[in-house]
Structures are given as C-alpha cells and as structure tokens.
Amino acid sequence: MHQFRRCTKLLCVVEKHGLRERKKQRTRQALIEAAVRLFEDKDYDHVTVAEIADAAEVSPRTFFLHFQAKEDVLLANADMRVDLALQAIAERRAGERLPEVLVRAMDEMIANTWDSDLPSGLAALRARLAASVPALQARLLQRYLTAQAELAQALQRAFPDRLDTITASALVGAMVGATSASALTALQRGDGPNEVRNAMRQAMALVAQSVT
Amino acid sequence: MHQFRRCTKLLCVVEKHGLRERKKQRTRQALIEAAVRLFEDKDYDHVTVAEIADAAEVSPRTFFLHFQAKEDVLLANADMRVDLALQAIAERRAGERLPEVLVRAMDEMIANTWDSDLPSGLAALRARLAASVPALQARLLQRYLTAQAELAQALQRAFPDRLDTITASALVGAMVGATSASALTALQRGDGPNEVRNAMRQAMALVAQSVT
DNA sequence: CTGCACTGATTCACAGTATGCATCAATTCA
DNA sequence: TGAATTGATGCATACTGTGAATCAGTGCAG
C-alpha cells in the first residue's frame, strides 16, 4: 500500500530507448521547470498543481503521473544522488577506514548537488523552501530517512566484521542528522552556499571522529 | 504564515482554570481516544477525520480546532517531552560534562514516553504506525527537527564557551538522528520495547563518545 | 444577578491534493 | 498493416484543511 519508490541504478543512467521515453522525459522536465519558475514568483502553497500543469501545457492529472506528490517536483533527482553514495560505499578503496568511506559517500552527494543544482538556482530555491515550507521539509526528511536505511545497509556490507545492524544505522543516522541540522542552521542564519557547505563539513568531521 | 506551534512551559503543567478549560481538554482527550481506538481497528488512512470526530461525538471541524493535522492526534504530548529535555539541559548539574548533559536530556524524554505511553499501548501503536505510514513518519521527523533546534539552542546556552552555533546543532542532530535511526531499525526488525530502548542507548553512547 | 465579553463548538462553503477508471492517441512491435 | 503497449487526458470522487458566520455556555464586571 504505502511505498517509497526508488529509481534503480539503471534508470538513473539517462536512457533514450525510443521516442516514447524521450517524450516522457520532456514533459517531466517541462513540469519541473514550470514549477521552479512559479515557485520563484509566488509563495509555495499559493502555486497550485493545476497552475504548474497549465504552465507546462499538460493536464493536472499528468502531473501526478510523474510525481507522487506536489513536493516531489523539487526533489526530482534526489534518488540519483543516493545511488552515487551507495556506489561510493560499495567501491571502498583499499585501506580506507570506516569514517573516511562514509564521509566520501556524503561528499559525493553534496558535490553532485553543488555541480548540478547550484548553477541553476534550484539548490538555493530548494534550500529556501525546505526551511520555510513544512510540507516540503517533511517530505525531504522522509527521503533522508529512506536513504539512511540504504546507506546503513551498504555500510554494513562494506564492513561486515566491524558493524552490527544497529551500529550501522546509528552511525549513518548521526552523520545525516548532524549534516542536515547544521546545514539548516546555517541556512536560517542567512549563510551563503559556501558557508553552508563548510558547516556541513564541520558536522561530518565531528561525527567522523566518533568512530576513529 | 507557516508556523510550528509549541506549547509554552506553563501550558504544559496541567491547568484546570475553570470549567471551560476542562471541557476543552475533555473533548481533546475524547478525540485522541477515539482516534487510537479506530487506528487499532482499521488501517491508518482508511480512518477519516470525519470518523474520528464522529466517534468522539464532535463535528469534524472541531478536530482541526484541536490538532493542526490528522497526524498530530498521535503526537499529542510530544511538546511536553521536549520541554522536559530543555529543562534537563538548563538545570545542568555541577561538574556535568557536555555529553552527559545531552544524554540525560534525551533519557528524560525517552523515560517519560516509556512511563506514560507504554502502558496505554499508545507507544506501541505510534511506533508501528510511524514505521509504516509515510505521512505520520514525516510529521514525526518534522517535529524532531524543530525540537532539535530548541535543544541545540539550550545546549549552546549551557556551554557558551565550548560550542558555536553550528557545532551545537551538529551535535544535537547527530544525537537525535542516531537515536531515531537505530530505534526505527530495531522496530522494523521486530524488536520489542526493551530491545528498542537498548538500541537507542547504544546509539546515544556512540555519539556521546565523539565529544569526549 | 444580570448583561456583556470571551471562546469552544457547530454549520456551511470551498480550495486544493490525490486517486480510480475509462478512453484516446501515439509509439512500438509482431 | 494490425495489435499491443503506454503516455496523456477527462471525469468523478474522497479526503484534508481553512475561512467565515453563528450559536451557546462560561466567566467576569458592575
């Protein structure tokens, strides 16, 4: 019944199998862009799904065919980033210790966000809205939680003799919790992108030293 | 516009100023009990607000006069617990170190939950639903986040020379993140109340050692 | 004790999110 | 070319959550 959908690793690679798939991606992209444009103009919840669909020149019904909820249009590529982190853990380098692997995985996600969403302004918009719109914040946290479970599982697989299930989830929970809390604090203080990133690094370092 | 309401410390002490207040509390309690009863019978989102209100013999509109959203009926006394933790931090005992204070604050919350919600079965119901109903999970996480901000502020006030704003929120974020992640993992593994509590303790200890 | 202010509860109306279902139209494949 | 697949649509609908007007009981001032 309830179900958090995740894209598989394969789907995250841009497939262009046929005109059909490309068309679908185009309307999806149109919806995202229309939404972002509208959110930059008006208050988040004064923008209705109907308006977004209208701006993207599709029917409102189509919106929900691409996104499970209104909020998801702003978290479009989050799944891909989790996959990056999972891969980073799986490809543990020789001699790399536990905290380093975890930090590298987190860095992978952050770096990808920086590269793809920062220039477009999407990162800033999302940050601003996530700090002020409860519904979006809730959805974001929820996705963090499911991502955490996957990261914990991957981490335990990478260090089977060192971690039990509880420790693994505690560790990942601490890392994600600390990072997002400090990022949010920095954001609400009015910090710019680089300061926010520094805050995240600082938080990660703090947690990392607990597993030295 | 958006606003996460919190009860003030004064309101958390049970006031019985007049018949009026008592009546209000009675309908509030009736709503909670009706909701719990229905949630135990049916699937969470097959129970409508209208049904809850009906079972409590009030109008549906009245439900939203007491709770901001459907989910909040299950998180009724959460605010009080945060206040307990804040108090625990403010009343820092002589010679108590940072990690100890934080752990004590968390313990305060957990212990209160155990004492008041465990016998009634509310704790179990909430745990079960929080692990399976996305909407509730989201709301819970959101409240954790606002609680975190308050805890971080209180902590910084208690250790002004030791903590900057970012470190304080990172620390609290790590603690809350680790604790809830491990609790959820334990729950989903099918652990009973005591095992869950142990998992939480273990997570707290892990984070506490990072600030030794 | 009486009228007035306050406020919880109710009723009615409504915007908006989200889903189910039948259907159309274009793509893909046999 | 004909058939199956599937993205998009329209329509109907359930439900959450809010606004506004109103009623009724409580508490307070005079």
Side-chain angles (χ1 to χ4, degrees), chain B residues 49-81:
Chain B
V49 173
E51 280 178 295
I52 299 173
D54 212 51
E57 302 190 289
V58 279
S59 92
R61 189 72 185 79
T62 302
F63 180 94
F64 291 105
L65 195 137
H66 286 271
F67 305 100
Q68 299 199 305
K70 182 181 171 185
E71 299 86 44
D72 287 13
V73 76
L74 281 170
L75 312 173
N77 300 317
D79 289 342
M80 200 185 61
R81 279 173 203 134

mmCIF file of all heavy atoms in Angstrom, chain B residues 49-81:
data_model
loop_
_atom_site.group_PDB
_atom_site.id
_atom_site.type_symbol
_atom_site.label_atom_id
_atom_site.label_comp_id
_atom_site.label_asym_id
_atom_site.label_seq_id
_atom_site.Cartn_x
_atom_site.Cartn_y
_atom_site.Cartn_z
ATOM 1 N N VAL B 49 -10.832 11.652 9.219
ATOM 2 C CA VAL B 49 -11.036 12.605 10.301
ATOM 3 C C VAL B 49 -12.506 12.665 10.681
ATOM 4 O O VAL B 49 -12.858 12.783 11.853
ATOM 5 C CB VAL B 49 -10.530 13.996 9.879
ATOM 6 C CG1 VAL B 49 -10.887 15.033 10.931
ATOM 7 C CG2 VAL B 49 -9.037 13.957 9.657
ATOM 8 N N ALA B 50 -13.347 12.562 9.688
ATOM 9 C CA ALA B 50 -14.787 12.596 9.944
ATOM 10 C C ALA B 50 -15.192 11.462 10.885
ATOM 11 O O ALA B 50 -15.974 11.670 11.813
ATOM 12 C CB ALA B 50 -15.542 12.486 8.625
ATOM 13 N N GLU B 51 -14.646 10.295 10.659
ATOM 14 C CA GLU B 51 -14.958 9.161 11.524
ATOM 15 C C GLU B 51 -14.496 9.399 12.964
ATOM 16 O O GLU B 51 -15.214 9.112 13.919
ATOM 17 C CB GLU B 51 -14.274 7.891 11.001
ATOM 18 C CG GLU B 51 -14.985 7.224 9.858
ATOM 19 C CD GLU B 51 -14.205 6.016 9.378
ATOM 20 O OE1 GLU B 51 -13.076 6.185 8.868
ATOM 21 O OE2 GLU B 51 -14.702 4.900 9.516
ATOM 22 N N ILE B 52 -13.274 9.906 13.073
ATOM 23 C CA ILE B 52 -12.733 10.179 14.411
ATOM 24 C C ILE B 52 -13.641 11.154 15.143
ATOM 25 O O ILE B 52 -14.032 10.935 16.286
ATOM 26 C CB ILE B 52 -11.309 10.758 14.313
ATOM 27 C CG1 ILE B 52 -10.375 9.762 13.644
ATOM 28 C CG2 ILE B 52 -10.790 11.121 15.699
ATOM 29 C CD1 ILE B 52 -8.996 10.310 13.356
ATOM 30 N N ALA B 53 -13.969 12.238 14.454
ATOM 31 C CA ALA B 53 -14.826 13.251 15.067
ATOM 32 C C ALA B 53 -16.170 12.636 15.448
ATOM 33 O O ALA B 53 -16.693 12.894 16.528
ATOM 34 C CB ALA B 53 -15.017 14.413 14.103
ATOM 35 N N ASP B 54 -16.658 11.805 14.566
ATOM 36 C CA ASP B 54 -17.947 11.168 14.822
ATOM 37 C C ASP B 54 -17.879 10.299 16.072
ATOM 38 O O ASP B 54 -18.755 10.358 16.932
ATOM 39 C CB ASP B 54 -18.328 10.315 13.604
ATOM 40 C CG ASP B 54 -19.819 10.257 13.404
ATOM 41 O OD1 ASP B 54 -20.445 11.338 13.386
ATOM 42 O OD2 ASP B 54 -20.364 9.150 13.299
ATOM 43 N N ALA B 55 -16.818 9.509 16.158
ATOM 44 C CA ALA B 55 -16.667 8.612 17.313
ATOM 45 C C ALA B 55 -16.505 9.397 18.605
ATOM 46 O O ALA B 55 -16.865 8.923 19.681
ATOM 47 C CB ALA B 55 -15.470 7.691 17.089
ATOM 48 N N ALA B 56 -15.923 10.587 18.505
ATOM 49 C CA ALA B 56 -15.753 11.421 19.694
ATOM 50 C C ALA B 56 -16.967 12.323 19.904
ATOM 51 O O ALA B 56 -16.994 13.116 20.841
ATOM 52 C CB ALA B 56 -14.479 12.249 19.578
ATOM 53 N N GLU B 57 -17.927 12.182 19.051
ATOM 54 C CA GLU B 57 -19.169 12.959 19.142
ATOM 55 C C GLU B 57 -18.943 14.461 19.076
ATOM 56 O O GLU B 57 -19.499 15.227 19.861
ATOM 57 C CB GLU B 57 -19.958 12.569 20.398
ATOM 58 C CG GLU B 57 -20.282 11.082 20.421
ATOM 59 C CD GLU B 57 -21.265 10.711 21.526
ATOM 60 O OE1 GLU B 57 -20.848 10.760 22.683
ATOM 61 O OE2 GLU B 57 -22.418 10.367 21.216
ATOM 62 N N VAL B 58 -18.106 14.845 18.140
ATOM 63 C CA VAL B 58 -17.936 16.270 17.843
ATOM 64 C C VAL B 58 -17.958 16.446 16.339
ATOM 65 O O VAL B 58 -17.950 15.465 15.601
ATOM 66 C CB VAL B 58 -16.592 16.816 18.371
ATOM 67 C CG1 VAL B 58 -16.660 17.135 19.845
ATOM 68 C CG2 VAL B 58 -15.476 15.872 18.059
ATOM 69 N N SER B 59 -17.997 17.683 15.918
ATOM 70 C CA SER B 59 -18.024 17.920 14.482
ATOM 71 C C SER B 59 -16.611 17.790 13.916
ATOM 72 O O SER B 59 -15.623 18.003 14.628
ATOM 73 C CB SER B 59 -18.553 19.312 14.197
ATOM 74 O OG SER B 59 -17.491 20.219 14.109
ATOM 75 N N PRO B 60 -16.500 17.437 12.660
ATOM 76 C CA PRO B 60 -15.181 17.297 12.033
ATOM 77 C C PRO B 60 -14.358 18.584 12.160
ATOM 78 O O PRO B 60 -13.145 18.537 12.356
ATOM 79 C CB PRO B 60 -15.521 17.026 10.577
ATOM 80 C CG PRO B 60 -16.877 16.451 10.599
ATOM 81 C CD PRO B 60 -17.584 17.086 11.737
ATOM 82 N N ARG B 61 -15.061 19.686 12.066
ATOM 83 C CA ARG B 61 -14.351 20.969 12.165
ATOM 84 C C ARG B 61 -13.642 21.118 13.508
ATOM 85 O O ARG B 61 -12.577 21.730 13.600
ATOM 86 C CB ARG B 61 -15.355 22.116 11.982
ATOM 87 C CG ARG B 61 -14.733 23.474 11.850
ATOM 88 C CD ARG B 61 -14.046 23.612 10.509
ATOM 89 N NE ARG B 61 -13.326 24.867 10.372
ATOM 90 C CZ ARG B 61 -12.151 25.089 10.907
ATOM 91 N NH1 ARG B 61 -11.589 24.148 11.629
ATOM 92 N NH2 ARG B 61 -11.541 26.236 10.728
ATOM 93 N N THR B 62 -14.238 20.581 14.532
ATOM 94 C CA THR B 62 -13.672 20.685 15.875
ATOM 95 C C THR B 62 -12.342 19.949 15.970
ATOM 96 O O THR B 62 -11.449 20.349 16.719
ATOM 97 C CB THR B 62 -14.658 20.120 16.907
ATOM 98 O OG1 THR B 62 -15.874 20.842 16.805
ATOM 99 C CG2 THR B 62 -14.119 20.274 18.313
ATOM 100 N N PHE B 63 -12.226 18.864 15.215
ATOM 101 C CA PHE B 63 -10.966 18.127 15.220
ATOM 102 C C PHE B 63 -9.807 19.056 14.892
ATOM 103 O O PHE B 63 -8.794 19.096 15.585
ATOM 104 C CB PHE B 63 -11.024 16.987 14.205
ATOM 105 C CG PHE B 63 -9.752 16.186 14.145
ATOM 106 C CD1 PHE B 63 -9.601 15.040 14.907
ATOM 107 C CD2 PHE B 63 -8.700 16.584 13.335
ATOM 108 C CE1 PHE B 63 -8.427 14.303 14.863
ATOM 109 C CE2 PHE B 63 -7.527 15.863 13.282
ATOM 110 C CZ PHE B 63 -7.391 14.722 14.057
ATOM 111 N N PHE B 64 -9.993 19.830 13.841
ATOM 112 C CA PHE B 64 -8.912 20.711 13.393
ATOM 113 C C PHE B 64 -8.755 21.939 14.286
ATOM 114 O O PHE B 64 -7.831 22.722 14.109
ATOM 115 C CB PHE B 64 -9.155 21.137 11.947
ATOM 116 C CG PHE B 64 -8.991 20.019 10.989
ATOM 117 C CD1 PHE B 64 -10.086 19.413 10.410
ATOM 118 C CD2 PHE B 64 -7.719 19.543 10.684
ATOM 119 C CE1 PHE B 64 -9.928 18.364 9.525
ATOM 120 C CE2 PHE B 64 -7.561 18.487 9.799
ATOM 121 C CZ PHE B 64 -8.674 17.899 9.218
ATOM 122 N N LEU B 65 -9.667 22.069 15.209
ATOM 123 C CA LEU B 65 -9.542 23.134 16.194
ATOM 124 C C LEU B 65 -8.581 22.694 17.295
ATOM 125 O O LEU B 65 -7.977 23.511 17.982
ATOM 126 C CB LEU B 65 -10.926 23.431 16.759
ATOM 127 C CG LEU B 65 -11.143 24.715 17.533
ATOM 128 C CD1 LEU B 65 -12.471 25.319 17.096
ATOM 129 C CD2 LEU B 65 -11.169 24.454 19.018
ATOM 130 N N HIS B 66 -8.418 21.390 17.432
ATOM 131 C CA HIS B 66 -7.523 20.860 18.455
ATOM 132 C C HIS B 66 -6.191 20.395 17.890
ATOM 133 O O HIS B 66 -5.177 20.429 18.575
ATOM 134 C CB HIS B 66 -8.196 19.696 19.178
ATOM 135 C CG HIS B 66 -9.266 20.111 20.128
ATOM 136 N ND1 HIS B 66 -9.006 20.399 21.435
ATOM 137 C CD2 HIS B 66 -10.585 20.315 19.946
ATOM 138 C CE1 HIS B 66 -10.143 20.755 22.032
ATOM 139 N NE2 HIS B 66 -11.112 20.714 21.149
ATOM 140 N N PHE B 67 -6.204 19.940 16.643
ATOM 141 C CA PHE B 67 -4.980 19.430 16.035
ATOM 142 C C PHE B 67 -4.789 20.057 14.668
ATOM 143 O O PHE B 67 -5.743 20.195 13.916
ATOM 144 C CB PHE B 67 -5.044 17.910 15.905
ATOM 145 C CG PHE B 67 -5.328 17.219 17.207
ATOM 146 C CD1 PHE B 67 -6.607 16.779 17.499
ATOM 147 C CD2 PHE B 67 -4.327 17.039 18.150
ATOM 148 C CE1 PHE B 67 -6.886 16.163 18.707
ATOM 149 C CE2 PHE B 67 -4.590 16.418 19.362
ATOM 150 C CZ PHE B 67 -5.866 15.984 19.643
ATOM 151 N N GLN B 68 -3.568 20.413 14.406
ATOM 152 C CA GLN B 68 -3.301 21.075 13.139
ATOM 153 C C GLN B 68 -3.449 20.136 11.957
ATOM 154 O O GLN B 68 -3.757 20.561 10.857
ATOM 155 C CB GLN B 68 -1.887 21.658 13.152
ATOM 156 C CG GLN B 68 -1.701 22.684 14.249
ATOM 157 C CD GLN B 68 -0.514 23.564 13.992
ATOM 158 O OE1 GLN B 68 0.600 23.055 13.808
ATOM 159 N NE2 GLN B 68 -0.735 24.857 13.942
ATOM 160 N N ALA B 69 -3.214 18.861 12.175
ATOM 161 C CA ALA B 69 -3.358 17.902 11.094
ATOM 162 C C ALA B 69 -3.743 16.553 11.674
ATOM 163 O O ALA B 69 -3.633 16.327 12.887
ATOM 164 C CB ALA B 69 -2.067 17.783 10.299
ATOM 165 N N LYS B 70 -4.212 15.705 10.813
ATOM 166 C CA LYS B 70 -4.648 14.379 11.243
ATOM 167 C C LYS B 70 -3.568 13.651 12.038
ATOM 168 O O LYS B 70 -3.851 13.017 13.038
ATOM 169 C CB LYS B 70 -5.016 13.571 9.993
ATOM 170 C CG LYS B 70 -5.527 12.180 10.240
ATOM 171 C CD LYS B 70 -5.817 11.498 8.907
ATOM 172 C CE LYS B 70 -6.125 10.033 9.084
ATOM 173 N NZ LYS B 70 -6.287 9.352 7.782
ATOM 174 N N GLU B 71 -2.339 13.762 11.595
ATOM 175 C CA GLU B 71 -1.248 13.031 12.239
ATOM 176 C C GLU B 71 -1.018 13.465 13.677
ATOM 177 O O GLU B 71 -0.577 12.686 14.514
ATOM 178 C CB GLU B 71 0.055 13.218 11.462
ATOM 179 C CG GLU B 71 0.031 12.710 10.043
ATOM 180 C CD GLU B 71 -0.505 13.754 9.103
ATOM 181 O OE1 GLU B 71 -0.108 14.910 9.239
ATOM 182 O OE2 GLU B 71 -1.355 13.421 8.259
ATOM 183 N N ASP B 72 -1.288 14.725 13.961
ATOM 184 C CA ASP B 72 -0.935 15.281 15.261
ATOM 185 C C ASP B 72 -1.682 14.657 16.423
ATOM 186 O O ASP B 72 -1.260 14.783 17.569
ATOM 187 C CB ASP B 72 -1.174 16.800 15.267
ATOM 188 C CG ASP B 72 -0.129 17.513 14.451
ATOM 189 O OD1 ASP B 72 0.591 16.825 13.709
ATOM 190 O OD2 ASP B 72 -0.029 18.739 14.548
ATOM 191 N N VAL B 73 -2.760 13.988 16.121
ATOM 192 C CA VAL B 73 -3.527 13.375 17.196
ATOM 193 C C VAL B 73 -2.711 12.260 17.862
ATOM 194 O O VAL B 73 -2.938 11.923 19.014
ATOM 195 C CB VAL B 73 -4.879 12.844 16.662
ATOM 196 C CG1 VAL B 73 -4.706 11.566 15.900
ATOM 197 C CG2 VAL B 73 -5.871 12.679 17.786
ATOM 198 N N LEU B 74 -1.745 11.732 17.144
ATOM 199 C CA LEU B 74 -0.917 10.667 17.705
ATOM 200 C C LEU B 74 0.353 11.203 18.368
ATOM 201 O O LEU B 74 1.083 10.475 19.010
ATOM 202 C CB LEU B 74 -0.535 9.668 16.606
ATOM 203 C CG LEU B 74 -1.631 8.676 16.245
ATOM 204 C CD1 LEU B 74 -1.265 7.890 15.013
ATOM 205 C CD2 LEU B 74 -1.874 7.739 17.410
ATOM 206 N N LEU B 75 0.613 12.464 18.170
ATOM 207 C CA LEU B 75 1.822 13.060 18.740
ATOM 208 C C LEU B 75 1.449 14.075 19.803
ATOM 209 O O LEU B 75 2.127 15.078 20.012
ATOM 210 C CB LEU B 75 2.630 13.742 17.634
ATOM 211 C CG LEU B 75 2.860 12.907 16.373
ATOM 212 C CD1 LEU B 75 3.517 13.727 15.297
ATOM 213 C CD2 LEU B 75 3.726 11.705 16.705
ATOM 214 N N ALA B 76 0.341 13.767 20.484
ATOM 215 C CA ALA B 76 -0.294 14.767 21.331
ATOM 216 C C ALA B 76 0.620 15.392 22.374
ATOM 217 O O ALA B 76 0.658 16.602 22.523
ATOM 218 C CB ALA B 76 -1.510 14.158 22.013
ATOM 219 N N ASN B 77 1.366 14.566 23.089
ATOM 220 C CA ASN B 77 2.114 15.123 24.221
ATOM 221 C C ASN B 77 3.598 15.290 23.943
ATOM 222 O O ASN B 77 4.403 15.413 24.862
ATOM 223 C CB ASN B 77 1.905 14.242 25.444
ATOM 224 C CG ASN B 77 0.447 14.176 25.821
ATOM 225 O OD1 ASN B 77 -0.240 15.193 25.806
ATOM 226 N ND2 ASN B 77 -0.039 12.991 26.136
ATOM 227 N N ALA B 78 3.951 15.314 22.685
ATOM 228 C CA ALA B 78 5.364 15.380 22.330
ATOM 229 C C ALA B 78 6.010 16.665 22.834
ATOM 230 O O ALA B 78 7.143 16.652 23.323
ATOM 231 C CB ALA B 78 5.525 15.266 20.822
ATOM 232 N N ASP B 79 5.283 17.749 22.738
ATOM 233 C CA ASP B 79 5.851 19.031 23.135
ATOM 234 C C ASP B 79 6.290 19.033 24.595
ATOM 235 O O ASP B 79 7.335 19.574 24.948
ATOM 236 C CB ASP B 79 4.831 20.145 22.922
ATOM 237 C CG ASP B 79 4.617 20.429 21.445
ATOM 238 O OD1 ASP B 79 5.476 20.016 20.647
ATOM 239 O OD2 ASP B 79 3.610 21.046 21.103
ATOM 240 N N MET B 80 5.475 18.412 25.398
ATOM 241 C CA MET B 80 5.786 18.371 26.826
ATOM 242 C C MET B 80 7.135 17.705 27.050
ATOM 243 O O MET B 80 7.935 18.142 27.874
ATOM 244 C CB MET B 80 4.698 17.580 27.526
ATOM 245 C CG MET B 80 4.589 17.830 28.994
ATOM 246 S SD MET B 80 3.367 16.713 29.702
ATOM 247 C CE MET B 80 4.083 15.102 29.349
ATOM 248 N N ARG B 81 7.388 16.684 26.276
ATOM 249 C CA ARG B 81 8.636 15.941 26.449
ATOM 250 C C ARG B 81 9.840 16.772 26.039
ATOM 251 O O ARG B 81 10.892 16.679 26.650
ATOM 252 C CB ARG B 81 8.583 14.669 25.611
ATOM 253 C CG ARG B 81 7.805 13.639 26.343
ATOM 254 C CD ARG B 81 7.520 12.403 25.583
ATOM 255 N NE ARG B 81 6.355 11.787 26.199
ATOM 256 C CZ ARG B 81 5.324 11.309 25.539
ATOM 257 N NH1 ARG B 81 5.299 11.364 24.228
ATOM 258 N NH2 ARG B 81 4.318 10.771 26.186
#
